Amino acid sequence: MKHGLAVCFFLPAVAACTIAYAEAAPAEVCYIPVQQPAALASLNAADPTISIASDSVALSDNQNAQFNGNVEISYRDTLLLAPRASFSSISQTMTADGGLDYFNGTLQVSGSRFSADMQQNNARLDDASYRFLTQAGRGYAEHLTASEQQVLLDQALFTTCPVSDNSWALHASEINIEADEGWGEARHAIFKIKEIPVLYLPYITFPVNEQRRSGLLLPKFGSSQKLGVEFELPYYLNLAPNYDMTLTPRYMSKRGAQIKSELRYLTETQQGNLQLEYLGSDNEKPDGFGARYLGHLSHLSDFTPELRAYVDFTDVSDDAYLTDLSSDYNNQSDTQLLREAALSYYGEQVHSQLRLQGFEILGNYNKAYSALPELSLSAAKPITILPYVNFSWQAQYAHFRNDEASINYADRMHVEPTITLPFVTPAFELTAEASMLYTYYQQNAADDAFAVDSSVTRTLPKLRLHSRLNFEREYDWFGEPALQTFEPQIQYLYIPYRDQSNIGLYDTTRLQDDYYGLFRINRYSGLDRINEANQVTVGWTSRFYDNVDNELFRFSLGQIFFLSDPTIQDDETDDLSSAESMLAAELIWHWYRKWYFSSAVQYDVDSDEIMKSSVSLDYRASDKSMFQLNHRYSRAVSGLEIQQLGVLGTVPVSDNWQLVGSYYRDLTNHRMIDASIGMQYESCCWAVRIIAKRQILTDLELPIGNVTQASQLDSSIGIQFVLKGFGDSAGFGVTDMLSNGIFSYRRPYLLTN
């Protein structure tokens, strides 16, 4: 749990401040390793012997010695190289001058004069130019005093920039570095950029290794139409080695002052975080609207290897909180918030889970059912009852509640025993499966006028036969050796028709019919609807691998053939007709060097219409040079056609400058959805980023039937600035700029790359 370096802005009322750096490894391209003498590697910190070697030596009274020419002095884990030196055996002191170099395990210093007290185990160097060996950091001091656990610098300079780069530096009258604590202190410090004084800090602390400490983090600046001028200044609290907290005051000129907090914890058996956001009053809301808040809890407990519990809970004060104020934990376009808690037990014979689940629906949408509780049981592993015959089972009990629905609560009990005959080899597999689905409902209608059966029993047999072949051959892929596979599969599925109109919909919705969905047993989630089926599904996949097993090409094609027409039902779960004969295909092709092409389509053969499609062209030379052009289409999503085109990419303008941009357009309604453009400068020790965005605002107050009407657009601009403590971007990468809008950048699907 590490945090990024921040610039600490001094306020008159503040007497001291702290800076926290990021955990990162030195970048070899920025920081050329110091050439350490070979003798340094053989030194032992526990060895108190002083060893001196030189071209010549002159003794005086057997108490003082003068060494001249290529002097090497080693003591414990330190090494001194100088043209001349003197040693007193009585006072146990040593001096050296004439231009020297001093080394220990973490530091290299060049100076004009050296003096050491062996009894006190400390040393002093004058006119010292120092550099850390294990992380970025260098500087100068008029006097440097080093002891076993401390380095004290007088009239000093400190920076993490490379030797040839003086972009920024901290000048202080005194810097104290304590190695065992991992932190340094500076007093009366002046922060300079390009030798220009920018900030005075009476007291500041900074790290010299990866240990954490309380302090200010990276500030954020921004401006948008919905928030006005925005400023955040997080403060990190290192409460203990296994838990910490971040408090973030947030000022929005249009909305007011907000406080955000995040508490993280980690033990041997438990981990999680708690986030709270609170705005006492919103200046954009009428008087009496009240406070606005968001709370989020994520928790995981591993009590034993068999027993696990988790909680995922989010709550907001009002439906428009995310769209008005945004949040670090949820997307501003989210229309529902998950609330879930579960206790799972993984036994040798039985797996079980007790779960509480609900969703807070935001906006003008019907409230969803909550499962309070849901108990699921299943066999831990198949039981062999006869040779090549396996038996398994699953069962579930759920209690659903929704006070705003026509059926305000219901109980459902489901039992599903299954017999399986598997035959699996590397080249061929055949599975025969027979199940009996028994489901019992007890339903209670809130309104007596709403006709519903209070008690419903549904019994359904299910038969499935699935077979797959795996062929492969060596192949020539444009002059290179390759491996081609051909994987045909066929499935027969039989489920008889049952009238289910007298069963409410509690956790069921229609699933997508992509290629893999063609072989799905049920076209619905949950258990409230089991689709009728007397059908054969045929499909095949072909892949190409290069000589190091990287996947270069994949194409899949499949279709469902109905042996008898399914019964048409007038059911709100069907956005599409249940009788459609779906043809689905997917293509992914790493077609040339860094270029990737991918496409997927679902086509209704009966109606001769494309139901869904997506296509993407990607170029990815590196994290700093990428491009994506994508298009997606869906004929019916909640009764509406969706067709969107997007283009995004990033390109290096020079070694340090990066340009990033994205644009998404709604082709159906002829409007822009999301657009952004950003410029970033990044050197070895600092970076700055400016991003301008314009995106459509989700209006949850619109009536359900008017979602296509013109929506408001929000324009914003943000600035981020970071001083890099260890030669790394500290979370300041380029790809994250493409993930801050409504649509986030995704890598080229599933091909190895």
Side-chain angles (χ1 to χ4, degrees):
M1 295 187 289
K2 310 292 182 186
H3 288 265
L5 166 68
V7 182
C8 178
F9 289 85
F10 177 70
L11 301 177
V14 180
C17 70
T18 302
I19 290 181
Y21 284 71
E23 174 187 14
E28 294 182 0
V29 68
C30 292
Y31 303 98
I32 301 174
V34 177
Q35 296 296 322
Q36 303 180 39
L40 188 64
S42 60
L43 299 182
N44 185 358
D47 184 4
T49 304
I50 300 174
S51 177
I52 305 176
S54 66
D55 293 341
S56 64
V57 59
L59 300 177
S60 174
D61 302 327
N62 292 324
Q63 296 176 349
N64 298 295
Q66 297 289 332
F67 302 91
N68 291 283
N70 298 316
V71 180
E72 291 189 8
I73 305 173
S74 59
Y75 174 67
R76 297 186 185 275
D77 62 345
T78 64
L79 178 66
L80 178 69
L81 306 179
R84 56 183 176 268
S86 63
F87 174 72
S88 172
S89 60
I90 296 178
S91 61
Q92 288 290 295
T93 59
M94 180 180 297
T95 61
D97 57 21
L100 49 90
D101 290 300
Y102 170 85
F103 296 87
N104 63 20
T106 60
L107 197 65
Q108 182 263 329
V109 186
S110 298
S112 62
R113 188 176 186 279
F114 170 85
S115 61
D117 187 334
M118 304 303 178
Q119 293 179 339
Q120 299 296 324
N121 197 24
N122 61 47
R124 169 173 165 158
L125 293 98
D126 298 334
D127 299 323
S129 296
Y130 66 92
R131 179 175 175 183
F132 293 105
L133 303 179
T134 56
Q135 66 273 324
R138 65 174 180 87
Y140 170 82
E142 290 186 5
H143 308 291
L144 183 151
T145 304
S147 62
E148 187 173 355
Q149 297 293 340
Q150 187 181 63
V151 177
L152 182 63
L153 309 172
D154 292 326
Q155 301 304 316
L157 174 150
F158 173 80
T159 181
T160 60
C161 295
V163 175
S164 60
D165 187 350
N166 294 316
S167 297
W168 69 269
L170 193 68
H171 299 256
S173 62
E174 180 182 297
I175 295 179
N176 182 20
I177 300 174
E178 297 185 12
D180 57 340
E181 296 292 333
W183 287 80
E185 299 177 317
R187 300 180 185 278
H188 301 293
I190 298 176
F191 177 74
K192 295 184 179 181
I193 296 179
K194 295 291 186 180
E195 299 300 325
I196 300 174
V198 174
L199 189 66
Y200 169 72
L201 302 168
Y203 176 76
I204 186 174
T205 64
F206 56 91
V208 294
N209 58 23
E210 296 178 357
Q211 295 188 37
R212 295 177 293 122
R213 189 166 181 175
S214 300
L216 293 172
L217 302 178
L218 178 68
K220 297 180 181 179
F221 302 89
S223 176
S224 65
Q225 291 176 317
K226 66 177 181 179
L227 300 178
V229 177
E230 182 182 6
F231 174 72
E232 292 185 19
L233 185 59
Y235 188 85
Y236 173 73
L237 294 167
N238 183 30
L239 303 176
N242 63 325
Y243 62 93
D244 59 16
M245 175 182 282
T246 303
L247 296 175
T248 306
R250 180 189 188 191
Y251 172 75
M252 300 165 285
S253 61
K254 284 189 175 182
R255 301 283 180 172
Q258 183 187 37
I259 184 69
K260 304 195 297 184
S261 66
E262 178 185 18
L263 174 67
R264 302 184 298 180
Y265 54 91
L266 175 66
T267 68
E268 291 184 359
T269 60
Q270 307 197 44
Q271 61 178 298
N273 55 39
L274 172 66
Q275 294 99 14
L276 296 173
E277 300 176 355
Y278 182 82
L279 178 65
S281 61
D282 191 335
N283 298 334
E284 293 289 292
K285 296 295 182 181
D287 295 338
F289 185 84
R292 309 188 74 179
Y293 62 83
L294 177 144
H296 174 77
L297 172 64
S298 176
H299 175 84
L300 175 64
S301 295
D302 288 310
F303 301 111
T304 68
E306 298 81 19
L307 187 62
R308 168 176 290 192
Y310 75 89
V311 177
D312 191 339
F313 182 89
T314 303
D315 185 41
V316 292
S317 58
D318 55 273
D319 288 353
Y321 181 93
L322 295 177
T323 56
D324 286 349
L325 303 177
S326 70
S327 172
D328 297 331
Y329 318 113
N330 292 87
N331 193 292
Q332 65 178 10
S333 60
D334 288 347
T335 58
Q336 60 185 28
L337 303 176
L338 174 66
R339 299 172 173 181
E340 185 174 26
L343 179 66
S344 303
Y345 177 77
Y346 303 94
E348 295 183 359
Q349 303 298 328
V350 177
H351 290 172
S352 60
Q353 183 183 76
L354 180 63
R355 182 173 69 168
L356 306 175
Q357 185 184 62
F359 294 90
E360 181 177 357
I361 306 300
L362 306 178
N364 297 314
Y365 297 91
N366 294 330
K367 183 179 178 182
Y369 279 92
S370 299
L372 305 169
E374 178 185 283
L375 175 63
S376 300
L377 303 170
S378 63
K381 55 185 177 182
I383 302 170
T384 302
I385 56 176
L386 291 172
Y388 306 107
V389 179
N390 295 332
F391 173 77
S392 61
W393 60 272
Q394 58 178 312
Q396 183 189 94
Y397 166 76
H399 176 75
F400 299 101
R401 298 199 69 91
N402 185 348
D403 295 335
E404 298 180 5
S406 300
I407 305 174
N408 53 12
Y409 70 85
D411 294 278
R412 183 182 70 196
M413 184 178 68
H414 179 80
V415 179
E416 186 175 336
T418 302
I419 294 177
T420 307
L421 286 79
F423 178 75
V424 180
T425 69
F428 173 73
E429 60 182 85
L430 173 64
T431 302
E433 182 180 283
S435 304
M436 182 61 70
L437 286 65
Y438 173 83
T439 314
Y440 173 76
Y441 288 85
Q442 189 71 38
Q443 305 174 121
N444 182 75
D447 188 351
D448 294 337
F450 182 76
V452 63
D453 295 339
S454 60
S455 178
V456 179
T457 300
R458 181 188 64 196
T459 304
L460 276 170
K462 179 179 67 179
L463 177 64
R464 175 177 177 259
L465 299 173
H466 181 264
S467 179
R468 182 197 301 266
L469 289 170
N470 297 304
F471 298 102
E472 62 180 46
R473 64 166 180 167
E474 294 182 354
Y475 194 78
D476 182 86
W477 178 268
F478 299 103
E480 297 292 334
L483 179 71
Q484 181 189 10
T485 70
F486 181 65
E487 306 159 32
Q489 58 179 318
I490 184 170
Q491 173 181 281
Y492 172 71
L493 180 65
Y494 175 76
I495 303 174
Y497 168 75
R498 294 290 188 272
D499 182 9
Q500 303 168 69
S501 59
N502 56 351
I503 298 175
L505 296 172
Y506 307 112
D507 63 352
T508 294
T509 188
R510 176 68 180 271
L511 299 174
Q512 291 190 22
D513 288 315
D514 55 12
Y515 171 76
Y516 300 99
L518 298 180
F519 295 88
R520 192 183 292 119
I521 297 176
N522 192 14
R523 302 173 81 175
Y524 303 97
S525 65
L527 297 168
D528 302 324
R529 294 293 183 270
I530 306 295
N531 59 265
E532 176 190 3
N534 183 16
Q535 63 193 44
V536 174
T537 305
V538 178
W540 57 272
T541 298
S542 184
R543 312 170 196 259
F544 285 89
Y545 297 89
D546 64 15
N547 55 7
V548 290
D549 294 331
N550 288 321
E551 188 177 9
L552 304 174
F553 177 88
R554 184 199 314 154
F555 178 72
S556 300
L557 178 67
Q559 184 177 357
I560 297 176
F561 298 92
F562 293 97
L563 303 183
S564 60
D565 292 337
T567 304
I568 303 298
Q569 300 188 58
D570 183 14
D571 199 311
E572 59 184 290
T573 61
D574 275 324
D575 287 335
L576 312 176
S577 169
S578 299
E580 66 203 17
S581 182
M582 189 66 69
L583 176 71
E586 291 187 1
L587 169 66
I588 305 178
W589 186 8
H590 180 183
W591 64 280
Y592 181 72
R593 294 184 180 178
K594 303 299 182 180
W595 288 91
Y596 302 84
F597 178 80
S598 57
S599 179
V601 62
Q602 291 94 56
Y603 177 74
D604 186 353
V605 177
D606 292 341
S607 62
D608 193 24
E609 290 181 312
I610 293 178
M611 311 305 294
K612 295 185 179 73
S613 69
S614 64
V615 61
S616 173
L617 176 65
D618 289 85
Y619 172 78
R620 189 181 182 96
S622 67
D623 286 343
K624 292 188 175 182
S625 182
M626 64 185 73
F627 169 82
Q628 184 180 94
L629 177 65
N630 59 69
H631 176 273
R632 60 179 181 173
Y633 169 80
S634 180
R635 187 172 69 88
V637 176
S638 299
L640 300 174
E641 180 185 82
I642 292 178
Q643 187 175 188
Q644 296 168 344
L645 178 68
V647 58
L648 68 160
T650 172
V651 59
V653 180
S654 64
D655 292 340
N656 300 108
W657 286 95
Q658 193 79 22
L659 179 65
V660 175
S662 66
Y663 181 84
Y664 288 89
R665 185 167 187 82
D666 181 352
L667 300 180
T668 302
N669 298 300
H670 309 289
R671 61 182 180 181
M672 185 199 72
I673 307 173
D674 182 284
S676 66
I677 186 169
M679 180 69 75
Q680 174 173 301
Y681 174 84
E682 182 174 14
S683 69
C684 290
C685 57
W686 71 285
V688 63
R689 172 190 298 168
I690 302 176
I691 303 178
K693 290 191 285 188
R694 186 167 175 80
Q695 59 189 29
I696 197 168
L697 289 178
T698 303
D699 189 351
L700 296 175
E701 297 180 354
L702 283 175
I704 300 299
N706 294 335
V707 295
T708 59
Q709 74 180 47
S711 299
Q712 292 184 344
L713 293 172
D714 178 54
S715 299
S716 64
I717 186 169
I719 301 175
Q720 290 178 275
F721 177 70
V722 63
L723 302 178
K724 294 153 59 172
F726 295 97
D728 189 83
S729 60
F732 212 69
V734 175
T735 56
D736 61 327
M737 281 196 287
L738 298 175
S739 302
N740 293 329
I742 296 176
F743 303 95
S744 60
Y745 171 76
R746 297 180 180 179
R747 292 192 60 148
Y749 296 88
L750 301 176
L751 275 179
T752 305
N753 56 81

